[in-house]
Amino acid sequence: MDKWDKRFMQMAFTIADWSSCFRAGRKIGCVIVKDKRIMTTGYNGAPSGIKTCRDKGVCLRDKLGIPSGTQMQTCYAVHAEQNAIVQAAKLGVSIDGATLYCTHQPCSMCCKMIINSGIKRVIYKEGYPDPFTLELFAEAGVTLERYEEEL
């Protein structure tokens, strides 16, 4: 890891603070970088025009007792990685060959989007209970690195 990795990882944690998720430990931030330039950012939150959990006053997943790492489709929030990739598509920004910095290891749904978007390197800080992701990234040749330094 170098000083640029640290800078972009710090930015991912800053962006995570924008999250509208109020589930403990689930504020996720993401930065997609190419040639040391920020292409897009994302954080987990409700889609445009949809009230957030914070606005609704309830976490749907908590209300239904859904454990972390399961039934990811049952949630108002779009994942940080998904938001960053969708933002690139919406703005017409190529992220092919880019590096994605994320506060947490991507889930398998995000992993598939990352692979198809052409991102070649993923750096994350916190683990996530989804070993299938490791298998997918390895098979696709996407480098997955855990950031171990202090931020």
Side-chain angles (χ1 to χ4, degrees):
M1 303 286 167
D2 64 17
K3 69 179 180 181
W4 288 100
D5 290 333
K6 183 174 184 173
R7 289 173 179 166
F8 293 128
M9 187 57 71
Q10 286 172 328
M11 183 165 286
F13 275 90
T14 297
I15 290 164
D17 283 339
W18 303 346
S19 170
S20 60
C21 183
F22 58 71
R23 206 171 210 209
R26 301 310 325 161
K27 289 188 177 288
I28 316 294
C30 174
V31 180
I32 299 177
V33 175
K34 194 171 178 180
D35 299 324
K36 298 180 184 170
R37 288 186 165 74
I38 296 169
M39 301 286 101
T40 60
T41 63
Y43 56 90
N44 57 329
S48 298
I50 304 295
K51 287 184 178 180
T52 68
C53 293
R54 194 176 308 144
D55 293 337
K56 294 176 184 208
V58 63
C59 170
L60 180 62
R61 295 178 62 77
D62 284 346
K63 180 180 173 183
L64 299 175
I66 298 171
S68 182
T70 66
Q71 299 179 39
M72 292 170 270
Q73 70 281 5
T74 307
C75 182
Y76 291 112
V78 177
H79 291 189
E81 304 95 321
Q82 293 169 341
N83 271 325
I85 291 168
V86 168
Q87 190 69 14
K90 184 176 180 179
L91 298 174
V93 174
S94 173
I95 54 175
D96 190 34
T99 297
L100 182 145
Y101 296 86
C102 197
T103 56
H104 293 67
Q105 176 188 322
C107 70
S108 58
M109 289 180 0
C110 290
C111 170
K112 294 170 193 176
M113 290 181 69
I114 289 165
I115 291 166
N116 277 355
S117 70
I119 290 168
K120 295 298 180 198
R121 183 175 176 232
V122 174
I123 300 175
Y124 69 96
K125 179 75 173 158
E126 304 296 331
Y128 187 73
D130 192 347
F132 186 50
T133 298
L134 306 176
E135 182 182 321
L136 290 172
F137 277 142
E139 186 173 339
V142 174
T143 302
L144 181 65
E145 301 173 44
R146 186 164 194 165
Y147 189 87
E148 300 288 349
E149 296 176 29
E150 289 295 317
L151 296 173

Short mmCIF file of all heavy atoms in Angstrom, two decimals, residues 96-132:
data_model
loop_
_atom_site.label_atom_id
_atom_site.label_comp_id
_atom_site.label_asym_id
_atom_site.label_seq_id
_atom_site.Cartn_x
_atom_site.Cartn_y
_atom_site.Cartn_z
N ASP A 96 -13.29 1.30 -16.48
CA ASP A 96 -12.56 0.12 -16.93
C ASP A 96 -11.10 0.26 -16.52
O ASP A 96 -10.45 1.26 -16.82
CB ASP A 96 -12.68 0.00 -18.45
CG ASP A 96 -12.15 -1.31 -18.98
OD1 ASP A 96 -12.28 -2.33 -18.28
OD2 ASP A 96 -11.61 -1.32 -20.10
N GLY A 97 -10.59 -0.72 -15.81
CA GLY A 97 -9.20 -0.70 -15.35
C GLY A 97 -8.98 0.07 -14.06
O GLY A 97 -7.85 0.23 -13.61
N ALA A 98 -10.05 0.53 -13.43
CA ALA A 98 -9.95 1.37 -12.23
C ALA A 98 -9.70 0.54 -10.97
O ALA A 98 -9.74 -0.70 -10.98
CB ALA A 98 -11.23 2.18 -12.06
N THR A 99 -9.45 1.27 -9.87
CA THR A 99 -9.34 0.69 -8.53
C THR A 99 -10.53 1.18 -7.72
O THR A 99 -10.89 2.36 -7.78
CB THR A 99 -8.03 1.13 -7.84
OG1 THR A 99 -6.93 0.62 -8.59
CG2 THR A 99 -7.95 0.61 -6.42
N LEU A 100 -11.14 0.28 -6.96
CA LEU A 100 -12.26 0.63 -6.10
C LEU A 100 -11.79 0.52 -4.65
O LEU A 100 -11.25 -0.50 -4.24
CB LEU A 100 -13.43 -0.34 -6.35
CG LEU A 100 -14.71 -0.10 -5.56
CD1 LEU A 100 -15.93 -0.45 -6.42
CD2 LEU A 100 -14.75 -0.92 -4.28
N TYR A 101 -11.95 1.60 -3.91
CA TYR A 101 -11.64 1.64 -2.47
C TYR A 101 -12.97 1.61 -1.74
O TYR A 101 -13.86 2.40 -2.04
CB TYR A 101 -10.88 2.91 -2.11
CG TYR A 101 -9.53 3.02 -2.76
CD1 TYR A 101 -9.38 3.54 -4.05
CD2 TYR A 101 -8.38 2.58 -2.10
CE1 TYR A 101 -8.13 3.62 -4.65
CE2 TYR A 101 -7.13 2.66 -2.69
CZ TYR A 101 -7.02 3.18 -3.97
OH TYR A 101 -5.79 3.26 -4.56
N CYS A 102 -13.09 0.70 -0.77
CA CYS A 102 -14.34 0.59 -0.03
C CYS A 102 -14.06 0.34 1.44
O CYS A 102 -13.09 -0.34 1.79
CB CYS A 102 -15.18 -0.55 -0.62
SG CYS A 102 -16.90 -0.48 -0.13
N THR A 103 -14.91 0.87 2.28
CA THR A 103 -14.75 0.68 3.71
C THR A 103 -14.90 -0.78 4.10
O THR A 103 -14.30 -1.23 5.07
CB THR A 103 -15.76 1.53 4.49
OG1 THR A 103 -17.08 1.19 4.06
CG2 THR A 103 -15.50 3.02 4.30
N HIS A 104 -15.70 -1.54 3.34
CA HIS A 104 -15.97 -2.94 3.65
C HIS A 104 -15.77 -3.81 2.40
O HIS A 104 -15.94 -3.34 1.28
CB HIS A 104 -17.41 -3.12 4.13
CG HIS A 104 -17.67 -2.47 5.45
ND1 HIS A 104 -17.65 -1.11 5.64
CD2 HIS A 104 -17.95 -3.02 6.66
CE1 HIS A 104 -17.91 -0.84 6.90
NE2 HIS A 104 -18.08 -1.97 7.54
N GLN A 105 -15.46 -5.07 2.62
CA GLN A 105 -15.33 -6.03 1.52
C GLN A 105 -16.68 -6.10 0.79
O GLN A 105 -17.72 -6.22 1.42
CB GLN A 105 -14.97 -7.41 2.07
CG GLN A 105 -14.93 -8.49 1.01
CD GLN A 105 -14.76 -9.86 1.63
OE1 GLN A 105 -14.04 -10.03 2.60
NE2 GLN A 105 -15.44 -10.85 1.08
N PRO A 106 -16.67 -6.04 -0.52
CA PRO A 106 -17.93 -6.11 -1.27
C PRO A 106 -18.63 -7.46 -1.10
O PRO A 106 -17.99 -8.50 -0.94
CB PRO A 106 -17.49 -5.92 -2.72
CG PRO A 106 -16.18 -5.21 -2.64
CD PRO A 106 -15.53 -5.75 -1.40
N CYS A 107 -19.95 -7.43 -1.18
CA CYS A 107 -20.76 -8.65 -1.18
C CYS A 107 -20.70 -9.26 -2.58
O CYS A 107 -20.17 -8.66 -3.52
CB CYS A 107 -22.20 -8.32 -0.79
SG CYS A 107 -23.11 -7.40 -2.07
N SER A 108 -21.28 -10.44 -2.74
CA SER A 108 -21.22 -11.11 -4.04
C SER A 108 -22.01 -10.37 -5.12
O SER A 108 -21.62 -10.37 -6.29
CB SER A 108 -21.68 -12.56 -3.93
OG SER A 108 -22.99 -12.64 -3.41
N MET A 109 -23.10 -9.69 -4.75
CA MET A 109 -23.86 -8.91 -5.74
C MET A 109 -22.99 -7.77 -6.28
O MET A 109 -22.92 -7.56 -7.49
CB MET A 109 -25.14 -8.33 -5.11
CG MET A 109 -26.19 -9.35 -4.82
SD MET A 109 -27.74 -8.72 -4.07
CE MET A 109 -27.54 -6.99 -3.91
N CYS A 110 -22.34 -7.05 -5.38
CA CYS A 110 -21.48 -5.94 -5.80
C CYS A 110 -20.26 -6.47 -6.55
O CYS A 110 -19.81 -5.87 -7.53
CB CYS A 110 -21.04 -5.12 -4.60
SG CYS A 110 -22.40 -4.18 -3.87
N CYS A 111 -19.75 -7.60 -6.10
CA CYS A 111 -18.60 -8.23 -6.74
C CYS A 111 -18.87 -8.46 -8.24
O CYS A 111 -18.02 -8.16 -9.08
CB CYS A 111 -18.30 -9.55 -6.03
SG CYS A 111 -17.09 -10.59 -6.85
N LYS A 112 -20.03 -8.97 -8.56
CA LYS A 112 -20.38 -9.24 -9.95
C LYS A 112 -20.43 -7.95 -10.76
O LYS A 112 -19.97 -7.91 -11.91
CB LYS A 112 -21.72 -9.97 -10.02
CG LYS A 112 -21.66 -11.37 -9.42
CD LYS A 112 -23.07 -11.95 -9.31
CE LYS A 112 -23.09 -13.19 -8.45
NZ LYS A 112 -24.45 -13.70 -8.25
N MET A 113 -20.97 -6.89 -10.17
CA MET A 113 -21.00 -5.59 -10.86
C MET A 113 -19.58 -5.05 -11.05
O MET A 113 -19.26 -4.48 -12.10
CB MET A 113 -21.86 -4.60 -10.08
CG MET A 113 -23.33 -4.91 -10.12
SD MET A 113 -24.31 -3.69 -9.21
CE MET A 113 -24.12 -2.26 -10.26
N ILE A 114 -18.76 -5.20 -10.05
CA ILE A 114 -17.37 -4.74 -10.11
C ILE A 114 -16.64 -5.46 -11.24
O ILE A 114 -15.96 -4.83 -12.06
CB ILE A 114 -16.66 -4.95 -8.75
CG1 ILE A 114 -17.22 -3.97 -7.71
CG2 ILE A 114 -15.15 -4.82 -8.89
CD1 ILE A 114 -16.87 -4.32 -6.27
N ILE A 115 -16.80 -6.76 -11.31
CA ILE A 115 -16.16 -7.55 -12.36
C ILE A 115 -16.62 -7.07 -13.74
O ILE A 115 -15.80 -6.79 -14.62
CB ILE A 115 -16.45 -9.06 -12.17
CG1 ILE A 115 -15.73 -9.58 -10.93
CG2 ILE A 115 -16.04 -9.85 -13.41
CD1 ILE A 115 -16.20 -10.96 -10.47
N ASN A 116 -17.93 -6.94 -13.93
CA ASN A 116 -18.46 -6.55 -15.24
C ASN A 116 -18.15 -5.11 -15.62
O ASN A 116 -18.13 -4.78 -16.80
CB ASN A 116 -19.96 -6.79 -15.31
CG ASN A 116 -20.30 -8.22 -15.64
OD1 ASN A 116 -19.42 -9.03 -15.92
ND2 ASN A 116 -21.57 -8.55 -15.62
N SER A 117 -17.89 -4.26 -14.66
CA SER A 117 -17.56 -2.86 -14.97
C SER A 117 -16.11 -2.70 -15.41
O SER A 117 -15.72 -1.63 -15.87
CB SER A 117 -17.85 -1.97 -13.77
OG SER A 117 -16.93 -2.22 -12.74
N GLY A 118 -15.30 -3.74 -15.22
CA GLY A 118 -13.90 -3.68 -15.64
C GLY A 118 -12.93 -3.21 -14.57
O GLY A 118 -11.74 -3.04 -14.84
N ILE A 119 -13.41 -3.02 -13.35
CA ILE A 119 -12.53 -2.64 -12.25
C ILE A 119 -11.55 -3.79 -12.02
O ILE A 119 -11.94 -4.96 -12.01
CB ILE A 119 -13.35 -2.33 -10.98
CG1 ILE A 119 -14.12 -1.02 -11.20
CG2 ILE A 119 -12.47 -2.25 -9.74
CD1 ILE A 119 -15.18 -0.74 -10.16
N LYS A 120 -10.28 -3.47 -11.84
CA LYS A 120 -9.24 -4.50 -11.76
C LYS A 120 -8.67 -4.70 -10.36
O LYS A 120 -8.01 -5.68 -10.10
CB LYS A 120 -8.08 -4.16 -12.72
CG LYS A 120 -8.49 -4.20 -14.17
CD LYS A 120 -8.95 -5.58 -14.56
CE LYS A 120 -9.37 -5.65 -16.02
NZ LYS A 120 -10.19 -6.81 -16.30
N ARG A 121 -8.92 -3.76 -9.46
CA ARG A 121 -8.33 -3.85 -8.11
C ARG A 121 -9.35 -3.32 -7.11
O ARG A 121 -9.97 -2.27 -7.34
CB ARG A 121 -7.06 -3.01 -8.08
CG ARG A 121 -6.30 -3.03 -6.78
CD ARG A 121 -4.98 -2.25 -6.94
NE ARG A 121 -4.24 -2.15 -5.71
CZ ARG A 121 -3.79 -1.02 -5.19
NH1 ARG A 121 -3.98 0.13 -5.81
NH2 ARG A 121 -3.13 -1.03 -4.06
N VAL A 122 -9.52 -4.05 -6.01
CA VAL A 122 -10.43 -3.64 -4.95
C VAL A 122 -9.66 -3.64 -3.64
O VAL A 122 -9.02 -4.63 -3.28
CB VAL A 122 -11.64 -4.60 -4.85
CG1 VAL A 122 -12.51 -4.25 -3.63
CG2 VAL A 122 -12.45 -4.59 -6.13
N ILE A 123 -9.71 -2.52 -2.94
CA ILE A 123 -9.06 -2.39 -1.63
C ILE A 123 -10.16 -2.09 -0.62
O ILE A 123 -10.96 -1.18 -0.81
CB ILE A 123 -8.00 -1.29 -1.65
CG1 ILE A 123 -6.93 -1.61 -2.69
CG2 ILE A 123 -7.37 -1.13 -0.26
CD1 ILE A 123 -5.89 -0.54 -2.87
N TYR A 124 -10.18 -2.86 0.47
CA TYR A 124 -11.20 -2.68 1.50
C TYR A 124 -10.55 -2.74 2.88
O TYR A 124 -9.45 -3.24 3.04
CB TYR A 124 -12.28 -3.76 1.37
CG TYR A 124 -11.78 -5.14 1.74
CD1 TYR A 124 -11.99 -5.65 3.02
CD2 TYR A 124 -11.09 -5.92 0.83
CE1 TYR A 124 -11.50 -6.90 3.37
CE2 TYR A 124 -10.61 -7.17 1.18
CZ TYR A 124 -10.82 -7.65 2.45
OH TYR A 124 -10.34 -8.89 2.80
N LYS A 125 -11.26 -2.24 3.88
CA LYS A 125 -10.74 -2.22 5.25
C LYS A 125 -11.39 -3.30 6.12
O LYS A 125 -10.72 -4.07 6.77
CB LYS A 125 -10.94 -0.83 5.86
CG LYS A 125 -10.46 -0.67 7.28
CD LYS A 125 -8.97 -0.59 7.37
CE LYS A 125 -8.53 -0.25 8.79
NZ LYS A 125 -7.17 -0.66 9.05
N GLU A 126 -12.70 -3.33 6.16
CA GLU A 126 -13.44 -4.24 7.04
C GLU A 126 -13.91 -5.47 6.26
O GLU A 126 -14.34 -5.35 5.12
CB GLU A 126 -14.66 -3.53 7.64
CG GLU A 126 -14.34 -2.25 8.39
CD GLU A 126 -13.48 -2.46 9.62
OE1 GLU A 126 -13.54 -3.53 10.23
OE2 GLU A 126 -12.71 -1.53 9.96
N GLY A 127 -13.85 -6.64 6.90
CA GLY A 127 -14.30 -7.87 6.27
C GLY A 127 -15.81 -7.95 6.16
O GLY A 127 -16.54 -7.12 6.71
N TYR A 128 -16.29 -8.96 5.44
CA TYR A 128 -17.72 -9.17 5.24
C TYR A 128 -17.94 -10.68 5.10
O TYR A 128 -17.15 -11.35 4.43
CB TYR A 128 -18.19 -8.43 3.99
CG TYR A 128 -19.68 -8.44 3.78
CD1 TYR A 128 -20.51 -7.66 4.59
CD2 TYR A 128 -20.26 -9.22 2.80
CE1 TYR A 128 -21.88 -7.67 4.40
CE2 TYR A 128 -21.63 -9.23 2.61
CZ TYR A 128 -22.43 -8.45 3.41
OH TYR A 128 -23.80 -8.45 3.23
N PRO A 129 -18.99 -11.23 5.70
CA PRO A 129 -19.18 -12.68 5.69
C PRO A 129 -19.70 -13.22 4.36
O PRO A 129 -20.84 -13.66 4.25
CB PRO A 129 -20.20 -12.89 6.82
CG PRO A 129 -21.00 -11.64 6.82
CD PRO A 129 -20.02 -10.54 6.47
N ASP A 130 -18.89 -13.16 3.32
CA ASP A 130 -19.31 -13.63 2.00
C ASP A 130 -18.12 -14.25 1.27
O ASP A 130 -17.51 -13.62 0.42
CB ASP A 130 -19.91 -12.47 1.19
CG ASP A 130 -20.62 -12.94 -0.07
OD1 ASP A 130 -20.47 -14.11 -0.46
OD2 ASP A 130 -21.33 -12.12 -0.67
N PRO A 131 -17.77 -15.50 1.61
CA PRO A 131 -16.60 -16.14 0.98
C PRO A 131 -16.75 -16.35 -0.52
O PRO A 131 -15.76 -16.48 -1.24
CB PRO A 131 -16.47 -17.47 1.72
CG PRO A 131 -17.79 -17.70 2.39
CD PRO A 131 -18.41 -16.35 2.60
N PHE A 132 -17.98 -16.39 -1.03
CA PHE A 132 -18.21 -16.56 -2.47
C PHE A 132 -17.56 -15.42 -3.25
O PHE A 132 -17.04 -15.62 -4.35
CB PHE A 132 -19.71 -16.64 -2.75
CG PHE A 132 -20.05 -16.95 -4.18
CD1 PHE A 132 -19.47 -18.02 -4.85
CD2 PHE A 132 -20.98 -16.18 -4.85
CE1 PHE A 132 -19.79 -18.32 -6.17
CE2 PHE A 132 -21.30 -16.46 -6.17
CZ PHE A 132 -20.72 -17.54 -6.83
#
